[in-house]
Amino acid sequence: MIGVINTGTYYGLYLLFLPHMPYLAAHVVATALSMTGSFFLNTHFTYRTRPTWRKFLLFPLTNATSFVVTTAGVYVIVDILHAGNRLAPLIASLAAVPVTFVVARVIMVPKGGTGGE
């Protein structure tokens, strides 16, 4: 559910910024903003752990692979397949969801932990 909320937030921000900047810039800004909300939602609901500065600073690593996969996907969809820039990030982000979950779990929940720190 958090992934759906995060994707919706990202996509809404992307559409908000799209008329004002190039599509890749809109993608980067929307990603950065939605990542902050995602951190707090994931710490509270998904992993049931306390948010800390360390986790907050490491959390972008959880999205690094996702960001690369999504950015490459957006580029391929828009510039190579010429499929348009409105739905491209939504389509590209679907492939990155499982990878992001696994990496986030490693950062948020210590080895052998349940997340409740």
Side-chain angles (χ1 to χ4, degrees), residues 40-92:
F40 288 106
L41 290 172
N42 274 296
T43 56
H44 184 72
F45 294 108
T46 305
Y47 303 107
R48 295 182 185 359
T49 186
R50 204 170 38 85
T52 65
W53 279 108
R54 181 182 180 280
K55 290 176 187 174
F56 182 75
L57 295 173
L58 288 174
F59 191 72
L61 295 176
T62 68
N63 290 309
T65 302
S66 176
F67 179 75
V68 170
V69 170
T70 304
T71 302
V74 168
Y75 174 78
V76 168
I77 291 166
V78 174
D79 285 345
I80 295 176
L81 300 177
H82 305 288
N85 61 13
R86 291 188 64 81
L87 292 177
L90 201 54
I91 295 165

